[in-house]
Amino acid sequence: MNTAGEAIWLSQLADTMPFRHRSLPDTLSQAYKKTPTNAKAILQHIPLKSLIMTNIIFATFFAFLFGANIGASLQTPLDSQHASNIDVKEIPNIIDKNTALQLLRTLQIQPKRDPGGYDRDEFGSGWATTGGLNTRELVLIRDGTNTQLEWLGARGRVLRGVWICPYTHALFNNVDPETYIDIDHVVPLKEAWITGAAAWPYVYRVAFANDESHLISVSGPENRRKGDLAPPYYLPQYWTCEYVRVWIKQKSDYRLSIDQAEYTSLLGVLNQC
């Protein structure tokens, strides 16, 4: 297929995608340029009608195979010059700077030693459910606007809504959160495991994992970029002051230790807030 033919094929391919966004054609084109020749040949021989039938499955496959973060094209980073004016919904009960400084001084400082044996199921098998809504749905409702709920019997889920990732100021407008929004544990579960939670009773770990005071609705790519990292190895671009205050309170409430690098980083951020 020549260059003109490839351009037409990519345009037709974009039309089969289950979402529309102004940057999608460019995203596909950039990904296609990185695609090995043999893989291009395979894709070009798949009937477009078949691609339509595969819907979101194909979109996910394309992103995985060729490294194009198609899902991220639905997040619209707002102009950085207006970042300070972004109306990120306030998370309840965040401690102030002075309280955070006081609590930071009380945390036990010691080197981190992974005891091994970490598994997500050690903190419960999925989210806890209250009144038909699990913890994830409750956090999505708290952090989002114009959220739409669907009830199937006694079980509810958030279908659509609008979210602003406090870490990146990316706007997710009228999207299905199941695909685009992650719920971040500010203090990651593995970080908690390494710094004290491995010795907790199971029910205590479940409570920690479902504690909404350190659960935040964020963009999926940013949550995966963070992974299990602690300060100073990860701090969000925005919402940094709030982030470290939530981190310190969670470490204090659950008597989790910190190491020296973590302490220095947290103190440095607080002193600049």
Side-chain angles (χ1 to χ4, degrees):
M1 189 182 295
N2 59 30
T3 302
E6 288 181 347
I8 294 172
W9 182 83
L10 282 169
S11 177
Q12 293 172 334
L13 176 60
D15 289 338
T16 72
M17 291 299 181
F19 44 74
R20 296 291 182 270
H21 187 273
R22 62 181 179 273
S23 67
L24 179 57
D26 289 339
T27 302
L28 288 172
S29 179
Q30 292 167 13
Y32 189 76
K33 289 177 182 177
K34 300 177 183 178
T35 305
T37 302
N38 59 341
K40 287 181 181 178
I42 294 171
L43 278 175
Q44 290 165 7
H45 282 86
I46 300 175
L48 288 175
K49 288 183 179 180
S50 297
L51 299 183
I52 294 172
M53 294 299 294
T54 58
N55 207 330
I56 190 65
I57 296 174
F58 175 76
T60 304
F61 167 76
F62 196 97
F64 173 77
L65 184 59
F66 304 129
N69 196 348
I70 295 174
S73 69
L74 278 136
Q75 62 176 334
T76 307
L78 303 180
D79 194 333
S80 59
Q81 66 181 334
H82 302 304
S84 61
N85 298 322
I86 298 302
D87 185 21
V88 176
K89 288 188 73 173
E90 185 176 346
I91 308 302
N93 303 318
I94 296 182
I95 59 175
D96 60 29
K97 173 181 175 178
N98 289 335
T99 303
L101 284 167
Q102 291 170 10
L103 291 180
L104 180 59
R105 297 187 188 102
T106 69
L107 297 179
Q108 182 180 7
I109 301 176
Q110 63 183 35
K112 294 180 183 178
R113 296 186 177 89
D114 189 347
Y118 169 76
D119 188 279
R120 172 61 179 84
D121 286 347
E122 293 288 347
F123 290 80
S125 180
W127 298 106
T129 300
T130 304
L133 294 170
N134 67 26
T135 306
R136 172 184 166 83
E137 311 297 341
L138 292 172
V139 174
L140 288 171
I141 293 168
R142 182 198 68 192
D143 296 347
T145 55
N146 299 327
T147 52
Q148 302 172 26
L149 278 173
E150 176 187 56
W151 288 89
L152 298 174
R155 171 77 172 90
R157 68 175 291 259
V158 179
L159 280 180
R160 305 191 77 76
V162 178
W163 289 268
I164 296 175
C165 173
Y167 298 174
T168 64
H169 284 179
L171 169 68
F172 293 84
N173 187 23
N174 193 31
V175 299
D176 178 357
E178 189 69 27
T179 305
Y180 304 108
I181 306 297
D182 282 2
I183 303 300
D184 178 43
H185 291 87
V186 171
V187 176
L189 300 184
K190 187 172 183 181
E191 167 71 14
W193 179 265
I194 292 171
T195 57
W200 294 348
Y202 174 77
V203 66
Y204 199 36
R205 291 196 294 267
V206 172
F208 178 87
N210 289 275
D211 183 349
E212 295 175 36
S213 66
H214 81 131
L215 299 178
I216 313 292
S217 302
V218 301
S219 79
E222 183 67 11
N223 193 40
R224 288 183 283 278
R225 187 175 80 85
K226 170 185 171 178
D228 299 321
L229 298 177
Y233 308 105
Y234 174 85
L235 286 168
Q237 180 180 2
Y238 302 107
W239 210 69
T240 315
C241 292
E242 293 87 345
Y243 184 88
V244 299
R245 280 150 42 199
V246 172
W247 182 283
I248 290 168
K249 185 175 188 300
Q250 201 70 0
K251 287 267 181 157
S252 175
D253 285 351
Y254 289 87
R255 299 184 180 180
L256 297 170
S257 65
I258 60 175
D259 65 12
Q260 187 60 53
E262 188 179 342
Y263 175 86
T264 302
S265 175
L266 295 169
L267 181 60
V269 171
L270 285 176
N271 284 336
Q272 295 178 29
C273 291

